[in-house]
Amino acid sequence: MEIKSVLHKSLVSIGIILISGCGGSSESAAAETLLELSVTEIEIPYTGGKQTVSVEAGSEWTAYSDADWILCNVNGSTEKNGTVDIIVDENKNFEARTTDITVKSGTTRKEISVVQEAAPEFDTSDIPVPEGYRLVWHDEFNDSKLASPDESLWYYETGDNGWGNNEIQNYIAGSKNGVTCAEVSEGIFSIIAQKAGDEVYSIRINSKESWKYGYFEARLKLPKGKGTWPAFWMLPQEFNAWPDDGEIDIMEEVGYNPEYVSSSIHTKAYNHSIGTQKTKEILVEGSQSEFHVYALEWTEDYIRTYVDGKELFYYPNDKKGNKDTWPFNVPFYLKLNLAWGGFWGGAQGVDETSLPATYQIDYVRVFQKK
């Protein structure tokens, strides 16, 4: 009797295991069929856009992508039929890009392949391109519909806080109280520093894009007058502390020392506040009456500036991996401004009879290696 009872219990247990095993496999197989997508491959133009994919699922579902240029908006995730809106940013690179979007329901996953075409190359038939580089961004200030800088490319920095240099001017967003300090006309962008009551208004603009390494150039005509301080320069995208995060001055000039143009770099180890700055100055005759081209070549190995194609300044990377001496391995923005007075610009006082003073920019161009 005891042997029969044990045998009976064993057979019952085996039956339960078999039934459970078969039932589990059936449910798993069913689950794998309950996720259907209307498409599994999409192509997007370089300008970006939105495409909607229909989803049929047997249980709650979601969709996501690890790419920072794609947004997935899920609609109806708790319903049998839903959609996911795939929103793709503009591709500003000159190479196509691809990624996958994962759609998940329970343990079932399916992928949607996204391919976005490359941005077209700029027309450089009238633009000299440095050897080994290609044009990636530029403003020629030639849009006849714009009377001020293109705000899809630039933004204004405003305020009268001295900007760390005891500067006198109040930077405004183009115009204020009927006074216009930013004008675009006949292919020239003019920054005009001028009196406005007891203040001096001027302009400081910053590129909306930033770049790590490249060849940067602008064709400039500098203002006249003691107190002027024009600059074409760069600060990092992630800027928290000066001079620790670095600064690249492609061109600076002060009006009391007319037509002497300098290039500099500032780091925690090398900066003017402790008398260790790296800088070089030359006389550029006619720089206040004629246009000249000021350029920066910035690579992982060195920073080198030029005036009309001739080297002005050189600073090598010491390759020590020390941010104190080389913080120049992150993206930087471009800046253009005309300061009035300050520790340097006003070191010998200011002459308000020089106002209005005008700083003119013919173009700004950014090239990067192919």
Side-chain angles (χ1 to χ4, degrees), residues 250-324:
I250 305 170
M251 187 290 304
E252 286 186 286
E253 185 238 31
V254 290
Y256 69 80
N257 192 24
E259 302 193 335
Y260 279 87
V261 170
S262 66
S263 293
S264 311
I265 59 93
H266 301 277
T267 72
K268 187 173 183 179
Y270 304 121
N271 66 84
H272 67 267
S273 65
I274 57 175
T276 58
Q277 71 272 21
K278 300 292 185 179
T279 187
K280 188 174 180 182
E281 181 182 78
I282 61 167
L283 173 64
V284 181
E285 294 182 355
S287 57
Q288 293 184 345
S289 56
E290 302 168 347
F291 283 93
H292 292 266
V293 177
Y294 303 88
L296 160 71
E297 185 179 19
W298 168 30
T299 75
E300 64 180 345
D301 299 314
Y302 58 82
I303 283 171
R304 182 179 275 125
T305 68
Y306 304 88
V307 178
D308 297 328
K310 296 181 180 179
E311 183 178 317
L312 166 58
F313 173 76
Y314 176 74
Y315 177 72
N317 183 354
D318 59 15
K319 301 290 186 176
K320 294 180 179 179
N322 184 353
K323 184 179 176 181
D324 290 355

Side-chain angles (χ1 to χ4, degrees), residues 6-278:
V6 171
L7 179 60
H8 176 72
K9 290 179 180 179
S10 298
L11 289 171
V12 170
S13 298
I14 292 168
I16 291 171
I17 292 169
L18 289 171
I19 291 169
S20 300
C22 291
S25 298
S26 176
E27 290 174 4
S28 177
E32 289 177 358
T33 65
L34 295 177
L35 183 60
E36 298 294 336
L37 309 176
S38 59
V39 297
T40 56
E41 296 181 0
I42 61 175
E43 295 182 359
I44 301 291
Y46 80 91
T47 51
K50 182 179 83 169
Q51 187 155 335
T52 300
V53 176
S54 298
V55 179
E56 182 179 358
S59 62
E60 187 171 352
W61 62 277
T62 190
Y64 56 88
S65 172
D66 292 332
D68 60 6
W69 45 277
I70 285 185
L71 176 65
C72 297
N73 285 339
V74 172
N75 308 294
S77 63
T78 60
E79 302 173 7
K80 181 177 180 181
N81 295 302
T83 61
V84 54
D85 294 327
I86 299 169
I87 302 169
V88 181
D89 292 342
E90 179 184 359
N91 185 4
K92 297 180 180 180
N93 299 315
F94 299 101
E95 296 179 356
R97 55 187 179 182
T98 63
T99 193
D100 289 328
I101 293 170
T102 299
V103 183
K104 178 184 176 183
S105 178
T107 59
T108 304
R109 298 170 185 253
K110 291 194 175 180
E111 307 294 332
I112 302 171
S113 174
V114 180
V115 178
Q116 187 176 25
E117 68 179 353
E121 298 273 355
F122 287 111
D123 179 6
T124 56
S125 55
D126 296 325
I127 296 177
V129 179
E131 186 176 354
Y133 286 84
R134 64 182 167 196
L135 184 67
V136 298
W137 185 95
H138 67 131
D139 195 347
E140 308 293 321
F141 305 105
N142 283 335
D143 190 338
S144 60
K145 299 186 293 298
L146 295 177
S148 59
D150 185 344
E151 292 188 38
S152 70
L153 301 176
W154 305 94
Y155 66 88
Y156 293 100
E157 295 181 291
T158 60
D160 59 355
N161 56 20
W163 298 90
N165 297 306
N166 201 34
E167 298 166 25
I168 299 171
Q169 81 291 325
N170 182 0
Y171 286 130
I172 63 172
S175 60
K176 184 177 180 180
N177 299 329
V179 178
T180 298
C181 295
E183 294 182 353
V184 173
S185 178
E186 298 181 351
I188 301 295
F189 168 38
S190 296
I191 296 177
I192 307 163
Q194 52 186 315
K195 283 283 287 184
D198 294 332
E199 294 187 285
V200 173
Y201 288 168
S202 191
I203 296 294
R204 171 168 161 154
I205 61 171
N206 194 99
S207 63
K208 286 192 171 181
E209 288 193 47
S210 59
W211 303 269
K212 177 182 173 181
Y213 309 139
Y215 192 96
F216 307 80
E217 70 175 22
R219 189 168 180 262
L220 312 171
K221 183 164 71 172
L222 309 184
K224 297 179 181 179
K226 187 166 69 172
T228 59
W229 182 2
F232 171 44
W233 57 301
M234 304 183 80
L235 279 182
Q237 178 180 324
E238 298 295 331
F239 181 74
N240 297 301
W242 187 95
D244 306 41
D245 294 325
E247 175 181 329
I248 304 172
D249 297 319
I250 305 170
M251 187 290 304
E252 286 186 286
E253 185 238 31
V254 290
Y256 69 80
N257 192 24
E259 302 193 335
Y260 279 87
V261 170
S262 66
S263 293
S264 311
I265 59 93
H266 301 277
T267 72
K268 187 173 183 179
Y270 304 121
N271 66 84
H272 67 267
S273 65
I274 57 175
T276 58
Q277 71 272 21
K278 300 292 185 179

